[in-house]
Amino acid sequence: MMKCTKLLTILLIALLAVGLMVGCDTLEPEPTPELPALSSASQHMPISVNVGILRGPSGMGMAPLMAWAEDGQTRDDYHFTVGGAPEEMVAGIISGELDIAAVGVNQAAMLYERTGGDVRIISALTQSLLFVLDSTGEINTIADLQGQTIHITGQGAIPQFAFEHILRSNGLEPGVDVEIVFNAEHAELAALMVAGEVGIGLLPQPFVTSVLNQSDDVTIALDLAEEWNAVSPDSVFVQGSVVVRTEFLEANPIPVERFLQDHAESLAFVMEHVDEAAELMEQFDIVPAGVARQVIPISNFVYIIGAEMQRVVDAFLTILYDANPDTVGGRLPSAEFYFLG
């Protein structure tokens, strides 16, 4: 009987170890709405998790997870807040109202510095989703922006700093050679472009498709990912990230692992079940279903965690830091910034 007990104990320890070895590389889960069971998860009680997302790309990938949580299909009790501006996510994390939030990757670094390490990055997203839209017919290259006024969103986030890096790398000084006007939300700028009140604008998908659907005068002039690769070919254009409060992570490491798997599963479902995912995005006021159906197939979501996340994010932040240290909070984050699972 004692030998059986020892054997059972060894088996349980082995299973727990396997369950905790999640997230060491890019997740590639099978696309299915049924969430995978973690061997260690059954030994831990479900908890309540407050998650913040933005309308647009970060929200699109979480729409199925929101539905599964609403239907009680998730291990933990997720409560989602959908916002329109990055500052809402930053404020929620700092105040403790949010446990996990989607923010620009440079905002994650700034939060880490601003809070003295109270925020950690747990995943990154790359996608080709930022475009310069033009209704003037004059913009074909970055050089054509000289002497022009461009409206952008995401002040203090990736759209601003990536665009400024690209301008400077092409010999144009932001605010001198190119006037930049900031709009608070993507939806606001999209409406202005449709109305013909803004001639040149920088927007992410799905707002790009929304504008093109409503205006025959607007065309895509430049793909920011292509322009980034042209001036920084050795780095990956990382746009989005997901962060967690360090206090929450330390108290709930396994639920955070579960969230990473849930999020990856949700993204996989989006790419494999376009029509159903699009309806969910409209249901949760993330993006209209018709626009989502057009955008999802070209979104090219790449979900990165673990050591690979640290490699690509560190390289991207280094470029931003070299251009302007303030874009990442004044200094590059230490290795503790990265949650490797």
Side-chain angles (χ1 to χ4, degrees), residues 40-323:
S40 61
S42 61
Q43 302 175 41
H44 297 264
M45 294 295 293
I47 66 167
S48 178
V49 186
N50 295 315
V51 183
I53 61 173
L54 290 171
R55 295 180 182 88
S58 72
M60 290 172 66
M62 294 216 199
L65 180 55
M66 295 171 74
W68 300 338
E70 194 174 80
D71 293 340
Q73 296 180 27
T74 55
R75 170 73 178 179
D76 295 301
D77 186 13
Y78 296 121
H79 302 277
F80 286 90
T81 296
V82 180
E87 292 76 15
E88 295 178 46
M89 303 298 104
V90 171
I93 283 288
I94 291 176
S95 68
E97 295 177 16
L98 297 175
D99 303 310
I100 294 173
V103 298
V105 69
N106 80 295
Q107 286 179 313
M110 294 174 76
L111 275 168
Y112 180 77
E113 178 67 22
R114 179 176 175 181
T115 63
D118 289 344
V119 173
R120 305 273 297 280
I121 186 171
I122 60 176
S123 67
L125 285 173
T126 67
Q127 64 274 324
S128 180
L129 292 175
L130 276 171
F131 300 89
V132 173
L133 299 182
D134 173 41
S135 64
T136 69
E138 300 177 4
I139 309 303
N140 297 295
T141 68
I142 289 293
D144 294 333
L145 291 171
Q146 183 163 9
Q148 300 283 1
T149 297
I150 183 170
H151 288 242
I152 74 173
T153 56
Q155 185 173 16
I158 289 302
Q160 175 188 354
F161 298 131
F163 183 60
E164 290 180 349
H165 169 67
I166 291 168
L167 287 178
R168 291 191 176 100
S169 298
N170 282 274
L172 299 177
E173 183 60 29
V176 177
D177 299 306
V178 181
E179 182 182 359
I180 298 176
V181 177
F182 293 99
N183 294 88
E185 295 191 19
H186 306 318
E188 175 195 3
L189 177 53
L192 291 172
M193 294 210 72
V194 170
E197 297 180 29
V198 169
I200 306 171
L202 175 64
L203 275 170
Q205 290 284 20
F207 299 94
V208 169
T209 295
S210 178
V211 171
L212 297 179
N213 286 347
Q214 298 177 70
S215 175
D216 294 332
D217 297 326
V218 180
T219 60
I220 292 177
L222 302 168
D223 181 337
L224 220 64
E226 291 181 1
E227 300 300 331
W228 176 276
N229 293 336
V231 299
S232 301
D234 296 328
S235 69
V236 177
F237 187 34
V238 188
Q239 296 177 40
S241 71
V242 177
V243 299
V244 61
R245 289 189 296 107
T246 301
E247 181 182 15
F248 181 86
L249 172 63
E250 292 176 347
N252 306 284
I254 291 178
V256 171
E257 294 275 11
R258 286 200 293 260
F259 173 81
L260 286 172
Q261 282 202 318
D262 290 350
H263 188 192
E265 195 70 11
S266 184
L267 278 167
F269 185 86
V270 166
M271 302 308 295
E272 294 295 326
H273 303 271
V274 174
D275 288 338
E276 187 175 347
E279 293 298 330
L280 292 174
M281 292 172 195
E282 181 165 292
Q283 174 185 329
F284 292 113
D285 193 29
I286 295 169
V287 60
V291 173
R293 289 190 186 92
Q294 295 176 268
V295 172
I296 292 170
I298 61 173
S299 293
N300 190 33
F301 288 114
V302 179
Y303 187 60
I304 310 173
I305 62 173
E308 179 66 5
M309 172 194 68
Q310 181 175 5
R311 184 186 70 80
V312 300
V313 169
D314 183 68
F316 184 77
L317 292 177
T318 297
I319 291 175
L320 294 182
Y321 175 84
D322 289 342

